[in-house]
Amino acid sequence: MAVTIALFQVPSSSFQTRRLNFKPAIIRTCRSSVTSCCDSSNGREPEKGVKGVEKLLEEKRRAELSARIASGEFTIERSGFISSLRSGLSNLGAPTGILEFLSKWTDTLGDYPKIPEAKGAISAIRSEAFFIPLYELYLTYGGIFRLTFGPKSFLIVSDPSIAKHILRDNSKAYSKGILAEILEFVMGKGLIPADGEIWRVRRRAIVPALHQKYVAAMISLFGRATDRLCEKLDAAASDGEDVEMESLFSRLTLDIIGKAVFNYDFDSLTNDTGIVEAVYTVLREAEDRSVQPIPFWEIPIWKDISPKQKKVNAALKLINEILDDLIVICKRMVEEEELQFHEEYMNEQDPSILHFLLASGDDVSSKQLRDDLMTMLIAGHETSAAVLTWTFYLLSQEPSVMSKLQNEVDSVLGDRFPTIEDMKKLKYTTRVINESLRLYPQPPVLIRRSLDDDMLGKYPIKRGEDIFISIWNLHRSPKHWEDADKFNPERWPLDGPNPTETNQSFR
Ligand code: HEM
Protein backbone atom coordinates (compact mmCIF):
# COMPACT_ATOMS: atom_id res chain seq x y z
CA MET A 1 0.00 0.00 0.00
CA ALA A 2 1.17 3.52 -0.66
CA VAL A 3 0.63 6.68 1.21
CA THR A 4 -2.58 8.03 -0.20
CA ILE A 5 -2.12 11.49 1.16
CA ALA A 6 -0.66 14.02 -1.16
CA LEU A 7 -1.33 16.57 1.56
CA PHE A 8 1.29 14.96 3.73
CA GLN A 9 4.35 16.07 1.91
CA VAL A 10 6.41 14.00 4.24
CA PRO A 11 9.84 15.41 3.66
CA SER A 12 13.19 13.60 3.43
CA SER A 13 11.51 10.25 4.14
CA SER A 14 8.64 9.90 6.52
CA PHE A 15 10.80 10.15 9.60
CA GLN A 16 12.60 13.21 8.43
CA THR A 17 12.60 17.00 8.45
CA ARG A 18 11.76 19.20 5.53
CA ARG A 19 14.58 20.54 3.45
CA LEU A 20 15.77 23.90 4.50
CA ASN A 21 15.81 27.02 2.42
CA PHE A 22 18.21 28.39 4.94
CA LYS A 23 21.55 29.19 3.48
CA PRO A 24 23.69 30.79 6.13
CA ALA A 25 26.01 33.49 5.05
CA ILE A 26 29.68 32.67 4.84
CA ILE A 27 30.74 30.64 7.83
CA ARG A 28 33.81 31.68 9.78
CA THR A 29 34.93 28.78 11.93
CA CYS A 30 36.31 29.26 15.38
CA ARG A 31 39.03 26.63 15.49
CA SER A 32 39.24 26.37 19.25
CA SER A 33 35.69 25.12 19.43
CA VAL A 34 33.50 22.95 17.25
CA THR A 35 31.05 25.77 16.69
CA SER A 36 30.91 28.18 13.79
CA CYS A 37 29.97 31.81 13.55
CA CYS A 38 27.84 33.37 10.85
CA ASP A 39 28.72 36.57 9.10
CA SER A 40 25.55 38.18 7.89
CA SER A 41 27.26 41.10 6.17
CA ASN A 42 28.26 39.18 3.06
CA GLY A 43 26.56 41.42 0.53
CA ARG A 44 23.24 39.71 1.16
CA GLU A 45 20.93 42.64 1.78
CA PRO A 46 18.91 42.26 -1.48
CA GLU A 47 18.35 38.56 -0.71
CA LYS A 48 17.14 39.52 2.76
CA GLY A 49 14.61 41.89 1.14
CA VAL A 50 13.22 39.12 -1.06
CA LYS A 51 13.07 36.78 1.94
CA GLY A 52 11.20 39.48 3.90
CA VAL A 53 8.50 39.72 1.21
CA GLU A 54 8.29 35.91 1.01
CA LYS A 55 7.88 35.77 4.77
CA LEU A 56 5.08 38.37 4.73
CA LEU A 57 3.26 36.50 1.95
CA GLU A 58 3.68 33.24 3.85
CA GLU A 59 2.28 34.81 7.04
CA LYS A 60 -0.66 36.26 5.10
CA ARG A 61 -1.42 32.91 3.49
CA ARG A 62 -1.23 31.14 6.83
CA ALA A 63 -3.51 33.70 8.50
CA GLU A 64 -6.06 33.21 5.71
CA LEU A 65 -5.91 29.46 6.12
CA SER A 66 -6.30 29.74 9.92
CA ALA A 67 -9.36 31.92 9.42
CA ARG A 68 -10.86 29.39 6.98
CA ILE A 69 -10.21 26.49 9.33
CA ALA A 70 -11.59 28.40 12.31
CA SER A 71 -14.74 29.31 10.34
CA GLY A 72 -15.53 25.58 10.14
CA GLU A 73 -15.06 25.40 6.36
CA PHE A 74 -13.38 22.01 6.67
CA THR A 75 -15.49 20.62 9.48
CA ILE A 76 -17.51 17.48 8.84
CA GLU A 77 -20.70 17.92 10.78
CA ARG A 78 -22.28 14.98 12.55
CA SER A 79 -25.51 13.78 11.07
CA GLY A 80 -28.76 13.45 12.97
CA PHE A 81 -31.39 15.67 14.49
CA ILE A 82 -29.30 17.19 17.28
CA SER A 83 -26.52 18.01 14.88
CA SER A 84 -28.91 19.63 12.41
CA LEU A 85 -30.48 21.53 15.29
CA ARG A 86 -27.05 22.68 16.40
CA SER A 87 -26.02 23.88 12.95
CA GLY A 88 -29.44 25.51 12.40
CA LEU A 89 -29.10 27.39 15.69
CA SER A 90 -25.55 28.32 14.80
CA ASN A 91 -26.73 29.80 11.47
CA LEU A 92 -29.33 31.79 13.38
CA GLY A 93 -26.56 33.23 15.55
CA ALA A 94 -27.37 31.37 18.79
CA PRO A 95 -24.92 32.08 21.66
CA THR A 96 -21.85 29.81 21.84
CA GLY A 97 -22.80 28.66 25.36
CA ILE A 98 -26.01 27.07 24.05
CA LEU A 99 -24.17 25.43 21.12
CA GLU A 100 -21.51 23.98 23.46
CA PHE A 101 -24.22 22.69 25.80
CA LEU A 102 -25.90 20.95 22.85
CA SER A 103 -22.59 19.40 21.74
CA LYS A 104 -21.89 18.01 25.21
CA TRP A 105 -25.44 16.75 25.48
CA THR A 106 -25.15 15.01 22.09
CA ASP A 107 -21.96 13.37 23.29
CA THR A 108 -23.72 11.86 26.30
CA LEU A 109 -26.62 10.54 24.22
CA GLY A 110 -24.63 7.91 22.36
CA ASP A 111 -22.39 5.45 24.13
CA TYR A 112 -19.34 7.54 23.37
CA PRO A 113 -18.53 10.96 21.99
CA LYS A 114 -17.37 11.16 18.38
CA ILE A 115 -13.91 12.30 17.34
CA PRO A 116 -14.00 15.77 15.74
CA GLU A 117 -13.60 15.43 12.00
CA ALA A 118 -12.10 17.60 9.25
CA LYS A 119 -12.01 17.17 5.49
CA GLY A 120 -8.54 16.73 4.08
CA ALA A 121 -9.09 18.01 0.55
CA ILE A 122 -7.72 21.36 1.48
CA SER A 123 -6.05 22.70 -1.63
CA ALA A 124 -4.81 25.67 0.35
CA ILE A 125 -2.40 23.52 2.33
CA ARG A 126 -1.01 21.28 -0.37
CA SER A 127 1.98 23.47 -1.03
CA GLU A 128 3.62 23.30 2.36
CA ALA A 129 5.26 20.79 4.65
CA PHE A 130 2.37 18.79 6.04
CA PHE A 131 2.91 19.42 9.74
CA ILE A 132 2.37 23.19 9.38
CA PRO A 133 -1.33 22.99 8.38
CA LEU A 134 -1.79 20.16 10.89
CA TYR A 135 -0.88 22.71 13.54
CA GLU A 136 -3.55 25.13 12.32
CA LEU A 137 -6.07 22.29 12.31
CA TYR A 138 -5.03 21.26 15.83
CA LEU A 139 -5.76 24.76 17.16
CA THR A 140 -9.34 24.43 15.91
CA TYR A 141 -10.09 20.70 16.33
CA GLY A 142 -8.04 19.89 19.42
CA GLY A 143 -5.71 17.13 20.67
CA ILE A 144 -7.32 14.39 18.58
CA PHE A 145 -9.23 14.73 15.33
CA ARG A 146 -9.91 12.75 12.22
CA LEU A 147 -8.69 14.06 8.86
CA THR A 148 -10.63 12.55 5.99
CA PHE A 149 -9.60 12.23 2.35
CA GLY A 150 -12.43 10.61 0.41
CA PRO A 151 -12.67 7.04 1.71
CA LYS A 152 -9.41 7.27 3.68
CA SER A 153 -8.99 8.90 7.06
CA PHE A 154 -6.20 9.53 9.55
CA LEU A 155 -6.27 10.30 13.24
CA ILE A 156 -4.13 13.28 14.13
CA VAL A 157 -2.97 13.17 17.75
CA SER A 158 -1.48 16.22 19.46
CA ASP A 159 -2.45 15.43 23.04
CA PRO A 160 0.41 14.33 25.35
CA SER A 161 -1.62 11.79 27.34
CA ILE A 162 -3.00 10.13 24.18
CA ALA A 163 0.51 10.09 22.66
CA LYS A 164 1.81 8.45 25.83
CA HIS A 165 -0.98 5.86 25.71
CA ILE A 166 -0.10 4.90 22.12
CA LEU A 167 3.68 5.02 22.43
CA ARG A 168 4.15 3.60 25.91
CA ASP A 169 1.18 2.41 27.97
CA ASN A 170 -0.49 0.37 25.22
CA SER A 171 2.28 0.26 22.62
CA LYS A 172 1.70 -3.45 21.88
CA ALA A 173 -1.65 -2.55 20.35
CA TYR A 174 0.00 -0.39 17.65
CA SER A 175 2.22 -1.15 14.66
CA LYS A 176 4.32 1.14 12.46
CA GLY A 177 1.68 0.89 9.69
CA ILE A 178 2.34 3.20 6.75
CA LEU A 179 5.88 3.89 7.91
CA ALA A 180 6.82 0.23 7.53
CA GLU A 181 5.12 0.09 4.12
CA ILE A 182 7.06 3.07 2.77
CA LEU A 183 10.40 1.97 4.14
CA GLU A 184 10.14 -1.75 3.36
CA PHE A 185 12.14 -1.45 0.13
CA VAL A 186 15.18 -0.15 1.97
CA MET A 187 14.89 -1.19 5.61
CA GLY A 188 13.02 -4.49 5.25
CA LYS A 189 12.26 -5.54 8.83
CA GLY A 190 14.93 -3.35 10.41
CA LEU A 191 14.41 -1.90 13.87
CA ILE A 192 12.43 1.17 12.79
CA PRO A 193 9.73 -0.51 10.66
CA ALA A 194 9.78 -3.74 12.72
CA ASP A 195 6.90 -4.65 15.01
CA GLY A 196 6.07 -7.24 17.65
CA GLU A 197 8.41 -10.16 18.19
CA ILE A 198 10.97 -9.17 15.52
CA TRP A 199 11.29 -5.73 17.11
CA ARG A 200 11.68 -7.20 20.61
CA VAL A 201 14.34 -9.72 19.55
CA ARG A 202 16.37 -7.25 17.48
CA ARG A 203 16.17 -4.50 20.08
CA ARG A 204 17.54 -6.92 22.68
CA ALA A 205 20.38 -7.79 20.28
CA ILE A 206 21.31 -4.23 19.28
CA VAL A 207 20.90 -2.09 22.41
CA PRO A 208 23.75 -3.82 24.36
CA ALA A 209 26.13 -2.65 21.57
CA LEU A 210 25.59 0.94 22.67
CA HIS A 211 27.49 0.56 25.97
CA GLN A 212 29.52 3.30 27.63
CA LYS A 213 32.86 2.29 26.14
CA TYR A 214 31.31 2.40 22.65
CA VAL A 215 29.79 5.83 23.30
CA ALA A 216 33.19 7.11 24.51
CA ALA A 217 34.85 5.82 21.32
CA MET A 218 32.14 7.45 19.22
CA ILE A 219 32.58 10.84 20.89
CA SER A 220 36.24 10.74 19.94
CA LEU A 221 35.19 9.86 16.37
CA PHE A 222 32.79 12.85 16.36
CA GLY A 223 35.69 15.15 17.32
CA ARG A 224 37.98 13.89 14.55
CA ALA A 225 35.27 14.01 11.88
CA THR A 226 34.13 17.49 12.93
CA ASP A 227 37.72 18.70 12.78
CA ARG A 228 37.83 17.65 9.11
CA LEU A 229 34.68 19.72 8.50
CA CYS A 230 36.19 22.69 10.34
CA GLU A 231 39.25 22.52 8.07
CA LYS A 232 36.96 22.68 5.06
CA LEU A 233 35.07 25.63 6.53
CA ASP A 234 38.29 27.45 7.39
CA ALA A 235 39.47 27.06 3.79
CA ALA A 236 36.12 28.33 2.48
CA ALA A 237 36.21 31.28 4.88
CA SER A 238 39.70 32.32 3.85
CA ASP A 239 38.69 32.13 0.17
CA GLY A 240 35.50 34.12 0.87
CA GLU A 241 33.43 31.20 -0.45
CA ASP A 242 29.79 30.52 0.43
CA VAL A 243 29.04 27.10 1.88
CA GLU A 244 25.80 25.15 2.07
CA MET A 245 25.72 23.93 5.63
CA GLU A 246 22.87 21.45 5.22
CA SER A 247 24.83 19.51 2.63
CA LEU A 248 28.04 19.64 4.69
CA PHE A 249 26.31 18.48 7.87
CA SER A 250 24.72 15.69 5.90
CA ARG A 251 28.15 14.55 4.67
CA LEU A 252 29.62 14.86 8.16
CA THR A 253 26.94 12.62 9.68
CA LEU A 254 27.20 10.13 6.79
CA ASP A 255 30.94 9.81 7.45
CA ILE A 256 30.31 9.32 11.16
CA ILE A 257 27.49 6.82 10.79
CA GLY A 258 29.48 4.69 8.32
CA LYS A 259 32.32 4.30 10.81
CA ALA A 260 30.04 3.96 13.84
CA VAL A 261 27.72 1.31 12.43
CA PHE A 262 29.92 -0.81 10.14
CA ASN A 263 33.43 0.63 10.16
CA TYR A 264 33.18 2.03 6.62
CA ASP A 265 34.80 5.30 5.64
CA PHE A 266 32.46 7.03 3.18
CA ASP A 267 34.81 10.01 3.26
CA SER A 268 31.96 11.99 1.74
CA LEU A 269 33.33 15.30 3.03
CA THR A 270 36.17 14.83 0.56
CA ASN A 271 34.81 12.56 -2.19
CA ASP A 272 31.67 12.06 -4.22
CA THR A 273 32.05 8.33 -4.76
CA GLY A 274 29.40 6.05 -6.25
CA ILE A 275 28.44 4.70 -2.86
CA VAL A 276 27.72 8.18 -1.46
CA GLU A 277 25.49 8.87 -4.46
CA ALA A 278 23.81 5.49 -3.96
CA VAL A 279 22.95 6.34 -0.33
CA TYR A 280 21.39 9.64 -1.41
CA THR A 281 19.48 7.97 -4.26
CA VAL A 282 17.89 5.58 -1.77
CA LEU A 283 17.16 8.34 0.72
CA ARG A 284 15.46 10.53 -1.90
CA GLU A 285 13.43 7.54 -3.09
CA ALA A 286 12.10 6.96 0.43
CA GLU A 287 11.18 10.65 0.52
CA ASP A 288 9.45 10.48 -2.90
CA ARG A 289 7.51 7.33 -2.06
CA SER A 290 6.10 8.95 1.05
CA VAL A 291 4.29 11.56 -1.07
CA GLN A 292 3.15 9.46 -4.06
CA PRO A 293 -0.60 8.84 -4.20
CA ILE A 294 -0.08 5.70 -6.34
CA PRO A 295 2.64 3.11 -5.63
CA PHE A 296 4.16 3.05 -9.16
CA TRP A 297 7.11 1.10 -7.86
CA GLU A 298 4.85 -1.89 -7.15
CA ILE A 299 3.64 -2.19 -10.76
CA PRO A 300 5.65 -5.17 -12.16
CA ILE A 301 6.55 -3.80 -15.63
CA TRP A 302 7.07 -0.27 -14.37
CA LYS A 303 9.56 -1.59 -11.85
CA ASP A 304 11.70 -2.93 -14.70
CA ILE A 305 11.43 -0.14 -17.25
CA SER A 306 11.33 3.05 -15.19
CA PRO A 307 14.82 4.64 -15.34
CA LYS A 308 14.30 6.02 -11.84
CA GLN A 309 13.40 2.62 -10.38
CA LYS A 310 16.34 1.05 -12.20
CA LYS A 311 18.61 3.65 -10.62
CA VAL A 312 17.14 2.95 -7.17
CA ASN A 313 17.56 -0.80 -7.60
CA ALA A 314 21.15 -0.34 -8.76
CA ALA A 315 21.84 1.90 -5.75
CA LEU A 316 20.36 -0.67 -3.36
CA LYS A 317 22.40 -3.42 -5.02
CA LEU A 318 25.62 -1.42 -4.63
CA ILE A 319 24.96 -0.64 -0.95
CA ASN A 320 24.05 -4.27 -0.25
CA GLU A 321 27.21 -5.54 -1.97
CA ILE A 322 29.32 -3.20 0.15
CA LEU A 323 27.47 -4.33 3.28
CA ASP A 324 28.11 -7.97 2.32
CA ASP A 325 31.84 -7.26 1.87
CA LEU A 326 31.99 -5.44 5.20
CA ILE A 327 30.25 -8.33 6.94
CA VAL A 328 32.77 -10.80 5.48
CA ILE A 329 35.75 -8.63 6.50
CA CYS A 330 34.33 -8.11 9.96
CA LYS A 331 33.56 -11.80 10.43
CA ARG A 332 37.18 -12.62 9.57
CA MET A 333 38.40 -10.08 12.15
CA VAL A 334 36.10 -11.57 14.80
CA GLU A 335 37.38 -15.09 14.05
CA GLU A 336 41.01 -14.01 14.24
CA GLU A 337 40.83 -11.96 17.41
CA GLU A 338 41.47 -13.44 20.83
CA LEU A 339 39.15 -11.10 22.66
CA GLN A 340 36.35 -12.92 24.48
CA PHE A 341 32.84 -11.55 24.09
CA HIS A 342 31.64 -9.81 27.25
CA GLU A 343 29.25 -7.04 28.34
CA GLU A 344 31.40 -4.05 27.35
CA TYR A 345 33.02 -5.87 24.43
CA MET A 346 34.68 -3.57 21.91
CA ASN A 347 37.41 -4.07 19.33
CA GLU A 348 39.65 -0.98 19.52
CA GLN A 349 40.48 -1.08 15.76
CA ASP A 350 36.86 -1.55 14.83
CA PRO A 351 34.46 -0.43 17.55
CA SER A 352 31.45 -0.58 15.17
CA ILE A 353 28.00 -1.94 16.02
CA LEU A 354 28.46 -4.56 13.28
CA HIS A 355 31.58 -5.89 15.00
CA PHE A 356 29.72 -6.15 18.32
CA LEU A 357 26.79 -7.95 16.68
CA LEU A 358 28.98 -10.49 14.90
CA ALA A 359 31.05 -11.14 18.02
CA SER A 360 27.84 -11.66 19.99
CA GLY A 361 26.87 -14.45 17.56
CA ASP A 362 24.56 -12.63 15.14
CA ASP A 363 23.86 -14.64 11.98
CA VAL A 364 26.14 -13.24 9.24
CA SER A 365 24.05 -14.56 6.41
CA SER A 366 20.77 -13.16 7.67
CA LYS A 367 18.75 -10.58 5.81
CA GLN A 368 17.77 -9.24 9.24
CA LEU A 369 21.35 -8.15 9.96
CA ARG A 370 21.52 -6.26 6.64
CA ASP A 371 18.10 -4.68 7.31
CA ASP A 372 19.26 -3.46 10.72
CA LEU A 373 22.51 -2.03 9.34
CA MET A 374 20.65 -0.26 6.53
CA THR A 375 18.09 1.07 9.03
CA MET A 376 20.79 2.56 11.23
CA LEU A 377 22.58 4.04 8.22
CA ILE A 378 19.46 5.81 6.97
CA ALA A 379 17.94 6.64 10.37
CA GLY A 380 21.09 7.96 11.95
CA HIS A 381 22.38 10.05 9.14
CA GLU A 382 19.64 12.47 8.09
CA THR A 383 18.16 12.93 11.56
CA SER A 384 21.49 14.02 12.98
CA ALA A 385 22.22 16.26 9.97
CA ALA A 386 18.81 17.92 10.34
CA VAL A 387 19.35 18.59 14.07
CA LEU A 388 22.74 20.16 13.36
CA THR A 389 21.39 22.30 10.51
CA TRP A 390 18.38 23.61 12.43
CA THR A 391 20.47 24.22 15.54
CA PHE A 392 22.98 26.31 13.62
CA TYR A 393 20.16 28.12 11.85
CA LEU A 394 18.62 29.04 15.23
CA LEU A 395 22.02 30.07 16.59
CA SER A 396 22.59 32.31 13.58
CA GLN A 397 19.35 34.11 14.50
CA GLU A 398 20.29 34.57 18.18
CA PRO A 399 23.85 35.90 18.55
CA SER A 400 23.56 36.12 22.36
CA VAL A 401 22.80 32.37 22.61
CA MET A 402 25.60 31.67 20.15
CA SER A 403 28.18 33.56 22.21
CA LYS A 404 27.04 31.91 25.47
CA LEU A 405 27.40 28.51 23.81
CA GLN A 406 30.83 29.39 22.41
CA ASN A 407 31.99 30.53 25.85
CA GLU A 408 30.91 27.25 27.38
CA VAL A 409 32.52 25.13 24.66
CA ASP A 410 35.74 27.16 24.86
CA SER A 411 35.90 26.97 28.66
CA VAL A 412 35.12 23.23 28.88
CA LEU A 413 37.12 22.04 25.86
CA GLY A 414 39.68 24.73 25.14
CA ASP A 415 41.59 23.44 22.15
CA ARG A 416 40.99 19.71 22.49
CA PHE A 417 38.40 17.24 21.23
CA PRO A 418 35.46 16.39 23.52
CA THR A 419 35.37 13.25 25.67
CA ILE A 420 32.46 11.46 27.29
CA GLU A 421 33.22 13.23 30.61
CA ASP A 422 32.83 16.63 28.90
CA MET A 423 29.27 15.85 27.83
CA LYS A 424 27.88 16.37 31.34
CA LYS A 425 29.74 19.66 31.66
CA LEU A 426 28.39 21.05 28.38
CA LYS A 427 25.07 21.88 30.02
CA TYR A 428 24.18 25.00 28.09
CA THR A 429 25.12 23.34 24.80
CA THR A 430 22.77 20.47 25.70
CA ARG A 431 19.95 22.93 26.45
CA VAL A 432 20.52 24.58 23.06
CA ILE A 433 20.12 21.21 21.32
CA ASN A 434 17.07 20.35 23.47
CA GLU A 435 15.46 23.63 22.49
CA SER A 436 16.35 23.17 18.83
CA LEU A 437 14.77 19.70 18.93
CA ARG A 438 11.68 21.18 20.57
CA LEU A 439 11.22 23.69 17.75
CA TYR A 440 12.31 21.34 14.95
CA PRO A 441 11.58 17.80 16.19
CA GLN A 442 13.06 14.93 14.19
CA PRO A 443 10.84 13.44 12.96
CA PRO A 444 8.01 16.00 13.22
CA VAL A 445 5.40 13.22 13.15
CA LEU A 446 5.37 9.63 14.43
CA ILE A 447 3.29 7.10 12.52
CA ARG A 448 1.33 4.17 13.98
CA ARG A 449 -1.60 1.87 13.12
CA SER A 450 -4.00 0.37 15.67
CA LEU A 451 -3.92 -3.43 15.81
CA ASP A 452 -7.01 -3.62 18.06
CA ASP A 453 -10.03 -1.55 19.03
CA ASP A 454 -8.92 0.88 21.72
CA MET A 455 -9.90 4.01 23.65
CA LEU A 456 -7.98 7.21 22.87
CA GLY A 457 -8.91 9.62 25.65
CA LYS A 458 -12.69 9.54 25.75
CA TYR A 459 -12.98 8.30 22.15
CA PRO A 460 -13.27 4.68 21.01
CA ILE A 461 -11.25 3.78 17.90
CA LYS A 462 -11.34 0.73 15.66
CA ARG A 463 -8.61 -1.66 14.62
CA GLY A 464 -6.72 -0.52 11.49
CA GLU A 465 -6.77 3.24 12.16
CA ASP A 466 -3.75 5.09 10.74
CA ILE A 467 -2.47 7.53 13.32
CA PHE A 468 -0.14 10.50 13.02
CA ILE A 469 1.23 11.72 16.35
CA SER A 470 2.29 15.29 15.74
CA ILE A 471 5.42 15.94 17.78
CA TRP A 472 5.50 19.32 16.07
CA ASN A 473 2.13 20.23 17.64
CA LEU A 474 3.10 18.85 21.05
CA HIS A 475 6.28 20.90 21.00
CA ARG A 476 4.67 24.12 19.83
CA SER A 477 1.37 24.02 21.68
CA PRO A 478 0.65 27.26 23.57
CA LYS A 479 -1.11 25.01 26.13
CA HIS A 480 2.16 23.42 27.16
CA TRP A 481 4.80 26.05 26.45
CA GLU A 482 5.22 29.68 27.29
CA ASP A 483 6.24 31.67 24.20
CA ALA A 484 6.09 28.39 22.31
CA ASP A 485 7.62 29.71 19.06
CA LYS A 486 10.58 31.39 20.73
CA PHE A 487 14.03 29.81 20.65
CA ASN A 488 14.89 30.11 24.32
CA PRO A 489 17.34 27.56 25.75
CA GLU A 490 17.05 29.41 29.06
CA ARG A 491 13.56 27.93 29.56
CA TRP A 492 15.40 25.03 31.24
CA PRO A 493 17.58 26.29 34.10
CA LEU A 494 21.12 24.90 34.10
CA ASP A 495 20.78 23.69 37.70
CA GLY A 496 17.60 21.74 36.85
CA PRO A 497 17.37 18.29 35.31
CA ASN A 498 18.13 17.69 31.66
CA PRO A 499 14.66 17.92 30.08
CA THR A 500 13.17 14.55 29.18
CA GLU A 501 9.67 13.26 28.50
CA THR A 502 9.36 12.22 32.17
CA ASN A 503 10.11 15.62 33.71
CA GLN A 504 8.43 17.81 31.07
CA SER A 505 4.75 17.14 31.78
CA PHE A 506 4.59 14.15 29.43
CA ARG A 507 1.50 13.07 31.31
C1 HEM B 1 19.66 13.59 16.70
C2 HEM B 1 19.56 12.47 16.03
C3 HEM B 1 18.38 11.54 16.11
C4 HEM B 1 17.08 11.80 16.35
C5 HEM B 1 16.42 13.14 16.61
C6 HEM B 1 16.39 10.53 16.32
C7 HEM B 1 15.02 10.39 16.55
C8 HEM B 1 14.38 9.16 16.64
C9 HEM B 1 12.99 8.97 17.00
C10 HEM B 1 12.01 10.07 17.37
C11 HEM B 1 12.74 7.64 16.96
C12 HEM B 1 11.40 6.95 17.27
C13 HEM B 1 10.66 6.73 15.97
C14 HEM B 1 9.34 6.01 16.15
O1 HEM B 1 9.12 5.35 17.19
O2 HEM B 1 8.48 6.08 15.23
C15 HEM B 1 13.97 6.98 16.58
C16 HEM B 1 14.11 5.63 16.45
C17 HEM B 1 15.25 5.02 16.04
N1 HEM B 1 16.44 5.63 15.71
FE1 HEM B 1 16.88 7.56 15.89
N2 HEM B 1 17.29 9.55 16.04
C18 HEM B 1 18.52 10.12 15.91
C19 HEM B 1 19.71 9.49 15.64
C20 HEM B 1 19.83 8.15 15.39
C21 HEM B 1 21.06 7.46 15.09
C22 HEM B 1 22.43 8.15 15.02
C23 HEM B 1 20.75 6.15 14.86
C24 HEM B 1 21.64 4.99 14.49
C25 HEM B 1 22.85 4.81 14.83
C26 HEM B 1 19.33 6.01 15.05
C27 HEM B 1 18.64 4.84 14.94
C28 HEM B 1 17.34 4.66 15.33
C29 HEM B 1 16.69 3.35 15.43
C30 HEM B 1 17.35 2.01 15.10
C31 HEM B 1 15.39 3.58 15.87
C32 HEM B 1 14.31 2.53 16.15
C33 HEM B 1 14.41 2.19 17.63
C34 HEM B 1 13.35 1.23 18.10
O3 HEM B 1 12.21 1.27 17.63
O4 HEM B 1 13.67 0.43 18.98
N3 HEM B 1 18.80 7.24 15.37
N4 HEM B 1 14.95 7.92 16.38
Side-chain angles (χ1 to χ4, degrees), residues 395-456:
L395 286 170
S396 74
Q397 307 293 301
E398 290 290 343
S400 63
V401 176
M402 171 71 113
S403 79
K404 225 171 141 179
L405 179 139
Q406 278 180 320
N407 285 342
E408 184 182 78
V409 173
D410 285 344
S411 83
V412 174
L413 298 181
D415 230 353
R416 61 180 174 76
F417 291 160
T419 64
I420 194 165
E421 288 76 34
D422 295 322
M423 291 298 120
K424 282 194 205 104
K425 295 183 204 145
L426 292 168
K427 283 192 165 197
Y428 189 70
T429 310
T430 310
R431 298 291 187 273
V432 167
I433 297 168
N434 293 140
E435 179 69 341
S436 161
L437 266 166
R438 184 184 70 80
L439 283 172
Y440 295 100
Q442 308 302 329
V445 163
L446 300 180
I447 300 175
R448 294 293 187 271
R449 179 177 292 152
S450 56
L451 296 170
D452 286 314
D453 295 359
D454 196 10
M455 288 292 294
L456 292 185

Side-chain angles (χ1 to χ4, degrees), residues 31-83:
R31 288 281 309 188
S32 62
S33 69
V34 291
T35 58
S36 312
C37 16
C38 295
D39 179 349
S40 57
S41 60
N42 192 29
R44 291 190 164 264
E45 291 314 314
E47 201 176 299
K48 265 191 193 165
V50 173
K51 287 219 169 102
V53 174
E54 275 173 12
K55 201 169 166 219
L56 280 176
L57 286 173
E58 170 65 23
E59 276 166 12
K60 184 168 171 276
R61 217 176 57 72
R62 197 160 292 162
E64 281 169 5
L65 176 63
S66 297
R68 288 173 63 193
I69 292 171
S71 75
E73 182 181 332
F74 305 111
T75 304
I76 295 178
E77 285 293 346
R78 298 168 202 168
S79 56
F81 170 73
I82 298 293
S83 179

Side-chain angles (χ1 to χ4, degrees), residues 353-374:
I353 294 177
L354 171 62
H355 201 109
F356 181 97
L357 290 176
L358 291 184
S360 73
D362 233 33
D363 178 5
V364 260
S365 60
S366 77
K367 176 163 181 326
Q368 186 62 51
L369 176 61
R370 280 152 192 77
D371 286 351
D372 285 323
L373 296 177
M374 195 73 110

Side-chain angles (χ1 to χ4, degrees), residues 166 171-181 187-203 368 372 447-451:
I166 298 169
S171 60
K172 283 189 183 151
Y174 294 87
S175 73
K176 306 283 171 54
I178 296 173
L179 184 69
E181 287 158 4
M187 295 186 185
K189 300 236 173 306
L191 208 49
I192 284 190
D195 289 311
E197 198 46 27
I198 296 184
W199 178 80
R200 257 183 296 284
V201 169
R202 291 313 289 165
R203 188 148 168 122
Q368 186 62 51
D372 285 323
I447 300 175
R448 294 293 187 271
R449 179 177 292 152
S450 56
L451 296 170

Side-chain angles (χ1 to χ4, degrees), residues 273-283 314-316 318-319:
T273 54
I275 178 69
V276 172
E277 207 200 315
V279 171
Y280 286 110
T281 301
V282 169
L283 265 173
L316 276 171
L318 179 62
I319 302 173

